[in-house]
Amino acid sequence: MDIIMTVTGIDHEGIIAAVATKLSEFKVNIRDVSQTLMGEYFTMIMHCSFDETQLNLIDLQEAFVPVEHSQKVEIRIQSEAIFKAMHAI
């Protein structure tokens, strides 16, 4: 399954490391990443993929709740198919 993950919050050290570490724990492959700072705000969009037979989207979303809390960021994970459908003209 391909997913789009967005991460936003006040910039500080360790955000990318925390997100990448959690993805690695679940054997999620980071296919592409874009991150930028907008003033004091950190923003990141990741295109990732994982084996649907080994992991489901709901479990992955729940696994990121502690990362959101510890890093004080907002993390959204969407199926790429839904993301594409929402943004189709």
Side-chain angles (χ1 to χ4, degrees), residues 60-80:
L60 184 62
Q61 289 172 328
E62 289 175 2
F64 271 91
V65 170
V67 177
E68 286 184 292
H69 293 171
S70 69
Q71 295 300 310
K72 297 182 176 129
V73 294
E74 184 175 311
I75 299 174
R76 296 289 172 247
I77 305 171
Q78 299 176 4
S79 164
E80 182 186 40

Side-chain angles (χ1 to χ4, degrees), residues 23-83:
L23 289 170
S24 175
E25 289 173 14
F26 285 88
K27 298 186 180 1
V28 175
N29 183 41
I30 300 170
R31 299 180 62 188
D32 197 5
V33 61
S34 173
Q35 70 90 44
T36 191
L37 294 176
M38 296 172 42
E40 65 182 323
Y41 298 101
F42 172 87
T43 63
M44 178 168 64
I45 300 172
M46 302 177 93
H47 179 203
C48 303
S49 61
F50 60 88
D51 183 350
E52 289 179 83
T53 65
Q54 303 296 314
L55 177 66
N56 68 57
L57 189 57
I58 293 170
D59 290 341
L60 184 62
Q61 289 172 328
E62 289 175 2
F64 271 91
V65 170
V67 177
E68 286 184 292
H69 293 171
S70 69
Q71 295 300 310
K72 297 182 176 129
V73 294
E74 184 175 311
I75 299 174
R76 296 289 172 247
I77 305 171
Q78 299 176 4
S79 164
E80 182 186 40
I82 293 173
F83 188 84

